[in-house]
Amino acid sequence: MNRDERVVRALLSEYGQTYAEEAGIRLQDTPQPLYRLLVLALLLSARIRASVAVAAARELHKDHLDSPRRMAGADWQQRVDALGRGGYRRYDERTATQLGDGAELLLDRWAGDLRRLHEEAHGDTGELKRLLQEEPGVGPAGADIFLREAQRVWPEVGPYLDGKALSGAQRLGLPKDPEKLTKLAKNTEPAVLAAALVRAALDKEVAEDCLRRAA
């Protein structure tokens, strides 16, 4: 086993969990988990710790704000309060508005079902990314986050290793080539590899830990 293989094995063994899994989302190609993933992607795309975004997503779920209809029908203050309980206070008011507006758009445009958005893209990943950004609060970073995770159930998107994932590879001294990285990860799903690489990009200690384990 060469150096790069050892680094990838250490990374995946310790940090190989998708953000959807961390947020308690059992990702399937069905409306509710896909919507919960979209909300998580929006939350993660802000300049805030990933752990806080995940906690906020969990609180929204606890308040049953886990479908576009429920999100759109909720009181704005209810959304603010759920975000606040997750520690998502710096952006809570703006994000509460975006979540409400985004849920209404999703209902009006795609009948609350992200599979319809997926179908509208006709297998074009670039178009899929563009359509996702029609959602209020979902910019390029949020669309990347969604697609990194959604490739688990929309495999034609993968391997989706965006700039953030590749910056994690660079920090670990790994090749910044998606094909080479997926080969190094062997049978690991690209979504899991992407999430692990992002953790290395976001946290220097994660990268240092992996490098120590692989030495």
Side-chain angles (χ1 to χ4, degrees):
M1 185 180 293
N2 64 34
R3 181 263 182 199
D4 287 354
E5 289 172 333
R6 293 197 304 273
V7 170
V8 171
R9 186 175 70 171
L11 175 70
L12 293 172
S13 66
E14 293 300 316
Y15 304 102
Q17 180 185 40
T18 67
Y19 285 95
E21 288 171 335
E22 189 178 344
I25 301 170
R26 291 187 177 183
L27 195 58
Q28 296 176 309
D29 191 20
T30 54
Q32 189 182 55
L34 287 171
Y35 177 67
R36 289 183 64 195
L37 176 60
L38 181 66
V39 170
L40 177 63
L42 186 157
L43 298 174
L44 283 166
S45 65
R47 293 180 180 275
I48 201 162
R49 292 195 313 277
S51 59
V52 172
V54 167
R58 284 181 170 274
E59 290 298 328
L60 288 166
H61 179 58
K62 285 179 185 177
D63 262 16
H64 306 291
L65 302 180
D66 49 13
S67 75
R69 195 163 302 282
R70 287 173 176 171
M71 187 69 80
D75 179 82
W76 177 82
Q77 190 62 51
Q78 183 183 358
R79 297 193 292 266
V80 170
D81 290 346
L83 291 167
R85 288 197 305 275
Y88 205 90
R89 295 186 178 87
R90 184 177 173 189
Y91 303 100
D92 54 354
E93 296 187 358
R94 183 184 70 181
T95 302
T97 299
Q98 291 170 338
L99 288 171
D101 292 345
E104 290 180 3
L105 174 66
L106 186 52
L107 288 165
D108 292 344
R109 179 84 186 272
W110 295 291
D113 189 345
L114 283 163
R115 293 176 302 180
R116 296 192 179 196
L117 179 152
H118 184 210
E119 290 169 5
E120 187 175 323
H122 299 295
D124 185 326
T125 301
E127 178 65 3
L128 191 54
K129 185 172 179 177
R130 186 192 70 78
L131 289 171
L132 286 165
Q133 290 178 72
E134 291 190 18
E135 282 286 301
V138 179
D144 279 337
I145 293 166
F146 181 90
L147 293 172
R148 285 199 310 257
E149 301 271 324
Q151 66 183 318
R152 186 166 231 176
V153 292
W154 294 348
E156 77 283 358
V157 172
Y160 197 89
L161 300 177
D162 65 327
K164 182 63 74 174
L166 295 179
S167 70
Q170 182 176 30
R171 175 172 269 180
L172 290 163
L174 297 170
K176 289 183 66 178
D177 179 279
E179 185 176 342
K180 290 180 180 178
L181 288 166
T182 53
K183 283 183 179 178
L184 285 169
K186 297 182 180 177
N187 295 324
T188 300
E189 292 178 76
V192 175
L193 172 62
L197 288 169
V198 168
R199 286 188 167 89
L202 295 175
D203 189 340
K204 187 178 180 181
E205 291 184 4
V206 168
E208 290 174 347
D209 179 54
C210 293
L211 294 174
R212 280 196 304 270
R213 290 173 183 274

